[in-house]
Amino acid sequence: MRGFFLSIPIGIEKAAAVDGAGPLRTLWYVILPISIPPMGAAAVFAFIEAWNEFFFALILTRQSAQTVPLAIAQFAGQYQTVFGQMMAAAVISVAPVIVIAAIFRDQIIRGFADGMMKG
């Protein structure tokens, strides 16, 4: 996000000021609409990171409240590991991430492209 906001030309903000927009109106009507793709990409990556969180959930949750990675890890026991059920659960747990990434694919690509440009 930082790379994208640094690449926004200052002339855009100055043009909005010349047209009579204040700082809040410039942010709301000029800056935010052009920053939707990078924010979408950041949101998708934040969702993926939160969905796959293992260590915080392992340390901070109880047995009654678990995240998906912790539930999948319970298929591995001390004497036996049920690989078939573990892989089925892993495929099912990856499905929401794949669907969200497919829905927001264009914004992810645009967010990458906009964030890599230097101003």
Side-chain angles (χ1 to χ4, degrees), residues 11-56:
I12 292 176
E13 294 178 38
K14 289 182 180 180
V18 167
D19 288 339
L24 189 59
R25 187 173 295 259
T26 301
L27 175 70
W28 189 256
Y29 289 107
V30 178
I31 302 299
L32 284 180
I34 63 175
S35 64
I36 288 174
M39 286 193 292
V44 168
F45 288 128
F47 172 77
I48 291 171
E49 187 66 30
W51 186 262
N52 291 329
E53 187 57 52
F54 182 79
F55 288 113
F56 281 139

Side-chain angles (χ1 to χ4, degrees), residues 1 15 19 30 39-40 51 58 76-77 91 99 105 112:
M1 292 295 299
D19 288 339
V30 178
M39 286 193 292
W51 186 262
L58 181 65
V91 168
V99 168
R105 178 184 57 214
F112 276 146

Side-chain angles (χ1 to χ4, degrees), residues 1-8 109-119:
M1 292 295 299
R2 182 179 188 274
F4 172 76
F5 284 117
L6 288 177
S7 70
I8 296 176
I109 293 170
R110 226 178 299 144
F112 276 146
D114 291 346
M116 288 188 292
M117 293 181 196
K118 292 213 173 203

